[in-house]
Amino acid sequence: GYSSGNIEDCYNTGSVSGGNNVGGIAGFSYGSIEGCYNTGEVSGSIMVGGIAGDSINGSIEGCYNTGEISGSGIYVGGIVGAGGSIEDCYNTGSVNGGNEVGGIAGYTDGGIEGCYNTGEVSGGNRVGGIAGNSDDSIEGCYNTGSVSGSDYVGGMAGYTHHCSITECYNTGKVRGSNYVGGIAGYSGGSIEDLSLI
């Protein structure tokens, strides 16, 4: 439920359900999670993720999720609902939430690198194939899953602040109402080197 240390080489295959801070491996992680995976269904309200619900002050590396992820509120992601650094992770499960929903992270302030999503992602505002809302860089990532939402919907990110999207690509269908893009619904930073397309 709560971890302030390190979690390595673990997995979960059972369904997990709760209210806030719900994850296939940890509900809240202040440390690191490495080499773990989840295949079970994870459901909750706020901060729901296949690996962790909340890891804002931690890191997730080399993990994957194949289970269905759903949250009725904000911060819902295939790997983490709201996270810090995320590297070399992938999600293939469907992800559905309220606002700030992503195939990898609903929200991140630590950067996403070398990750990909193939699962269907759907929600309301700020919905992205990789991140719903990002305050740090997204680098070397790709999305092939369909992405749908209302406002601020993107193949990579629904909404980004002062950060870059670099060497990424999207092939998934993106649908929304306002501020909809193949890469970003809204970008407050740079979009560069989309050479992998």
Side-chain angles (χ1 to χ4, degrees):
Y2 180 100
S3 172
S4 59
N6 302 322
I7 302 174
E8 297 182 19
D9 302 327
C10 298
Y11 69 89
N12 173 66
T13 62
S15 63
V16 182
S17 62
N20 301 334
N21 299 96
V22 184
I25 300 296
F28 178 93
S29 174
Y30 191 77
S32 66
I33 302 176
E34 298 181 16
C36 298
Y37 69 86
N38 172 69
T39 63
E41 178 183 348
V42 181
S43 61
S45 180
I46 297 171
M47 292 191 181
V48 181
I51 299 298
D54 181 355
S55 70
I56 284 289
N57 296 306
S59 63
I60 299 176
E61 183 176 353
C63 297
Y64 69 87
N65 172 69
T66 63
E68 179 182 339
I69 310 301
S70 61
S72 59
I74 61 173
Y75 306 131
V76 181
I79 296 297
V80 63
S85 173
I86 307 163
E87 295 184 20
D88 300 326
C89 296
Y90 70 87
N91 173 67
T92 62
S94 63
V95 182
N96 177 266
N99 297 327
E100 306 207 26
V101 182
I104 298 297
Y107 169 81
T108 177
D109 67 356
I112 301 175
E113 183 176 352
C115 297
Y116 69 87
N117 172 68
T118 63
E120 179 182 346
V121 182
S122 59
N125 296 330
R126 300 190 181 189
V127 181
I130 297 296
N133 185 1
S134 178
D135 269 331
D136 209 320
S137 63
I138 300 173
E139 183 176 351
C141 298
Y142 71 87
N143 172 68
T144 63
S146 63
V147 183
S148 62
S150 180
D151 298 342
Y152 302 109
V153 184
M156 283 292 103
Y159 192 100
T160 69
H161 296 270
H162 303 291
C163 57
S164 62
I165 299 175
T166 308
E167 295 182 348
C168 296
Y169 73 91
N170 170 64
T171 62
K173 183 178 181 179
V174 182
R175 294 177 295 128
S177 296
N178 303 303
Y179 304 102
V180 183
I183 297 297
Y186 172 86
S187 173
S190 62
I191 300 176
E192 305 174 357
D193 300 328
L194 304 179
S195 57
L196 298 178
I197 296 176

